[in-house]
């Protein structure tokens, strides 16, 4: 899911960072593992064997493992002002 909020009407600040923070509290192992994979991609980037899109994809790869994603995202949107 992509949400574009250029004028901060939906979210105040960077929604990606807030979403990772929200998820880190609820699914720390999943988020941690995604960051490990992103670090591996970042190292590849140093040798021009990767790109930022792949790194971002790895950072958010934990989303595929979240059960009831629609409910999870609804809760995130409702509570996002706290993160």
């Amino acid at each position: 899911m992509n949400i574009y909020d250029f004028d901060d009407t939906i979210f105040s600040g960077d929604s990606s960072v807030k979403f990772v923070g929200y998820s880190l509290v609820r699914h720390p192992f999943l988020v941690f593992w995604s960051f490990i994979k992103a670090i591996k991609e970042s190292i590849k980037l140093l040798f021009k064997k990767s790109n930022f899109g792949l790194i971002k994809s790895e950072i958010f790869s934990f989303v595929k493992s979240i059960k009831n994603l629609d409910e999870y995202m609804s809760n995130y949107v409702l509570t996002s002002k706290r993160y």
Side-chain angles (χ1 to χ4, degrees):
M1 170 166 85
N2 288 325
I3 296 176
Y4 298 100
D5 185 29
F6 300 112
D7 60 356
D8 290 334
T9 53
I10 300 171
F11 293 101
S12 174
D14 188 338
S15 60
S16 297
V17 172
K18 289 182 179 187
F19 179 68
V20 170
Y22 176 83
S23 298
L24 188 59
V25 171
R26 285 154 183 80
H27 299 286
F29 181 75
L30 293 176
V31 175
F32 177 75
W33 187 246
S34 293
F35 271 87
I36 294 298
K37 294 188 289 185
I39 289 169
K40 291 165 107 175
E41 276 308 310
S42 298
I43 292 169
K44 289 181 186 177
L45 182 64
L46 293 173
F47 298 101
K48 304 198 188 277
K49 303 281 186 191
S50 187
N51 61 59
F52 183 71
L54 290 173
I55 295 169
K56 191 171 181 180
S57 177
E58 290 296 355
I59 289 171
F60 290 100
S61 66
F62 69 89
V63 172
K64 295 181 278 188
S65 300
I66 295 175
K67 294 181 171 91
N68 301 317
L69 186 58
D70 288 338
E71 181 181 338
Y72 186 80
M73 293 304 296
S74 293
N75 288 335
Y76 164 66
V77 170
L78 291 173
T79 62
S80 66
K81 291 182 172 52
R82 292 188 284 166
Y83 296 95

